[in-house]
Amino acid sequence: MKIGFLVILGILLSEFSKAQLKTEAEYISVDGMERYYELYVPSNYSQIETLPIVFVLHGGGGKASGMTRFTRGRFNELADRDGFIVVYPNGYEKSWNDGERDTLAAARRLNIDDVGFFESMIDDLDTKFSIDRKNIFACGISNGGFMVQRLAIERSGLFKAVGVVAANMSEDQQKSEPVNPVSAIFICGTADPLVPYNGGPVKVLQQVRGEVLSMEETLAYWKRVNFCTTKMEVVVYPDINKRDRSNVVKTVWQNPSNEQIKVVDIRVENGGHTWPGGTQYLPRGMVGTTNRDFNACDEIWTFFKSLI
C-alpha cells in the first residue's frame, strides 16, 4: 500500500512539475498579420530585476508549441534556476524566411518579414515585462538555425549571441556582415543527412533546399567578423552513452581584445540532424543519431550566461 501511494505521489508531482513548465501564447500584429509566440516566464519573476531573453526557434516543419517537448522542457527548467525569459516564436506556415537559401519554404516564397517579427516581439515583451535589452539571445535548429544567423547579421545591435544547431551558414548569408560583433555557438553533426557538414545542397525528402557552406567555412566567417583569432581550448567530452555511436569535441576561439566575444564549435562526430539531449523525433535512417553525451540546451545557455 505504501509503495503504491509513493508511485501515485510521484506521478502527481511529475504532472505538477510539467504543468509548472507550461508556456502561454502571446499574439501580436506584424504588417497587418497576426503572429504569435509561446512564452515562459520563470516562477520567481519580479519586476524589480531585468531579465535576459532567450528565443528558441523550431526547424522547418515545426511549430512553437513543439519546441518545449522537443527540448524536453530543459530551457524552462534553466529559466527557473537562473532567471531568464524563454520565447518560442512561431514561424509562418512552419517555416522561417532565413534569406535567399530556401525558395520552397512558404515564409521565403511570400517574403515574410521575420526579422521585423523579432523586433516586434522584443518591443511587445518590453511593454509587458522587465527585460534586459542588452542581453537578448537566440538559438534554433535547422531552418531556425539559419534564421538566427540572419538575425545576427542584420540585427547585430539587438542580439548579443546566437546558438545554431544542425545548420551551417547558407551561401547567400556570407555576402553580408554584422555591424557589431555577435558571439556564436555551433552544435552540428558530421553525419547530418539533411544539412551536409562539408557543404553543398540541403536535401529534404529528395528536394534541394538551397546550398550551404561547409562547417569549416561557416566557423571561419564567424571567427573573422568577430576577430576571434585566439584558440582558447579544445575539450573532448566523455563518451557517456556508447549506444548513440557518436563523440563530441568542443573548440573555443576568443577575441583577444574582448574576452566576451567568442565563437564555439561543438562538433558531434557521427551526429545527425538532431538536438543533442533532445528527442529522437524521427528514425535514425531519416535524421541520424541524437547524441546523449551532453544536452544542447545546457551548453547553449551556459555559453549565453558567460556573456552576461
Side-chain angles (χ1 to χ4, degrees), residues 4-105:
F5 171 76
L6 290 175
V7 169
I8 293 172
L9 179 61
I11 293 172
L12 290 174
L13 288 174
S14 175
E15 292 303 314
F16 176 75
S17 176
K18 290 178 183 177
Q20 293 297 93
L21 295 175
K22 283 185 177 179
T23 59
E24 297 290 338
E26 300 286 336
Y27 293 85
I28 57 175
S29 178
V30 183
D31 289 339
M33 181 185 301
E34 186 178 66
R35 304 289 300 268
Y36 82 91
Y37 58 91
E38 298 283 339
L39 176 69
Y40 184 79
V41 180
S43 55
N44 60 351
Y45 170 75
S46 169
Q47 286 280 358
I48 299 173
E49 183 182 6
T50 59
L51 296 185
I53 301 290
V54 175
F55 287 95
V56 183
L57 281 66
H58 62 75
K63 296 177 68 176
S65 57
M67 277 307 285
T68 308
R69 294 190 300 275
F70 187 71
T71 56
R72 297 183 172 182
R74 183 56 179 162
F75 276 118
N76 297 0
E77 293 174 346
L78 293 169
D80 275 344
R81 187 191 75 185
D82 292 340
F84 62 94
I85 294 172
V86 193
V87 182
Y88 302 93
N90 197 64
Y92 179 81
E93 293 191 4
K94 301 182 179 181
S95 65
W96 297 107
N97 180 7
D98 60 49
E100 300 174 5
R101 178 189 61 85
D102 185 4
T103 58
L104 298 179

Side-chain angles (χ1 to χ4, degrees), residues 174-185:
Q174 66 175 324
K175 299 173 185 176
S176 303
E177 294 185 2
V179 175
N180 306 294
V182 180
S183 294
I185 180 171

Side-chain angles (χ1 to χ4, degrees), residues 4-278:
F5 171 76
L6 290 175
V7 169
I8 293 172
L9 179 61
I11 293 172
L12 290 174
L13 288 174
S14 175
E15 292 303 314
F16 176 75
S17 176
K18 290 178 183 177
Q20 293 297 93
L21 295 175
K22 283 185 177 179
T23 59
E24 297 290 338
E26 300 286 336
Y27 293 85
I28 57 175
S29 178
V30 183
D31 289 339
M33 181 185 301
E34 186 178 66
R35 304 289 300 268
Y36 82 91
Y37 58 91
E38 298 283 339
L39 176 69
Y40 184 79
V41 180
S43 55
N44 60 351
Y45 170 75
S46 169
Q47 286 280 358
I48 299 173
E49 183 182 6
T50 59
L51 296 185
I53 301 290
V54 175
F55 287 95
V56 183
L57 281 66
H58 62 75
K63 296 177 68 176
S65 57
M67 277 307 285
T68 308
R69 294 190 300 275
F70 187 71
T71 56
R72 297 183 172 182
R74 183 56 179 162
F75 276 118
N76 297 0
E77 293 174 346
L78 293 169
D80 275 344
R81 187 191 75 185
D82 292 340
F84 62 94
I85 294 172
V86 193
V87 182
Y88 302 93
N90 197 64
Y92 179 81
E93 293 191 4
K94 301 182 179 181
S95 65
W96 297 107
N97 180 7
D98 60 49
E100 300 174 5
R101 178 189 61 85
D102 185 4
T103 58
L104 298 179
R108 177 58 191 164
R109 282 190 290 103
L110 298 176
N111 199 25
I112 298 298
D113 184 11
D114 275 330
V115 173
F117 177 36
F118 280 83
E119 291 176 316
S120 296
M121 282 189 286
I122 292 169
D123 289 340
D124 187 53
L125 289 163
D126 207 3
T127 64
K128 297 174 179 176
F129 302 97
S130 182
I131 68 170
D132 183 356
R133 292 189 74 120
K134 292 182 179 180
N135 287 300
I136 297 177
F137 307 95
C139 63
I141 183 171
S142 192
N143 187 193
F146 292 117
M147 185 65 211
V148 300
Q149 291 183 83
R150 181 181 183 186
L151 293 172
I153 294 168
E154 297 185 18
R155 294 295 182 272
S156 60
L158 276 178
F159 293 90
K160 192 168 190 177
V162 294
V164 182
V165 180
N168 307 353
M169 181 175 231
S170 62
E171 284 198 341
D172 67 286
Q173 289 177 330
Q174 66 175 324
K175 299 173 185 176
S176 303
E177 294 185 2
V179 175
N180 306 294
V182 180
S183 294
I185 180 171
F186 287 85
I187 303 174
C188 296
T190 63
D192 188 324
L194 305 184
V195 179
Y197 191 84
N198 293 317
V202 176
K203 291 184 179 179
V204 181
L205 299 176
Q206 304 305 313
Q207 290 184 317
V208 175
R209 311 296 287 265
E211 300 272 338
V212 295
L213 304 179
S214 68
M215 198 61 231
E216 182 179 356
E217 292 170 313
T218 299
L219 292 167
Y221 170 93
W222 286 104
K223 286 188 288 182
R224 177 174 58 80
V225 299
N226 284 312
F227 302 98
C228 289
T229 56
T230 304
K231 183 184 285 189
M232 296 300 296
E233 62 176 341
V234 178
V235 180
V236 178
Y237 286 28
D239 188 12
I240 298 171
N241 190 318
K242 305 290 185 182
R243 291 177 298 176
D244 63 23
R245 301 193 295 274
S246 58
N247 300 284
V248 183
V249 179
K250 178 168 77 172
T251 308
V252 180
W253 294 271
Q254 185 174 290
N255 183 319
S257 300
N258 187 343
E259 64 180 17
Q260 289 293 90
I261 302 173
K262 303 174 186 176
V263 174
V264 176
D265 172 40
I266 298 184
R267 175 185 172 107
V268 185
E269 297 284 353
N270 203 38
H273 194 77
T274 51
W275 186 283

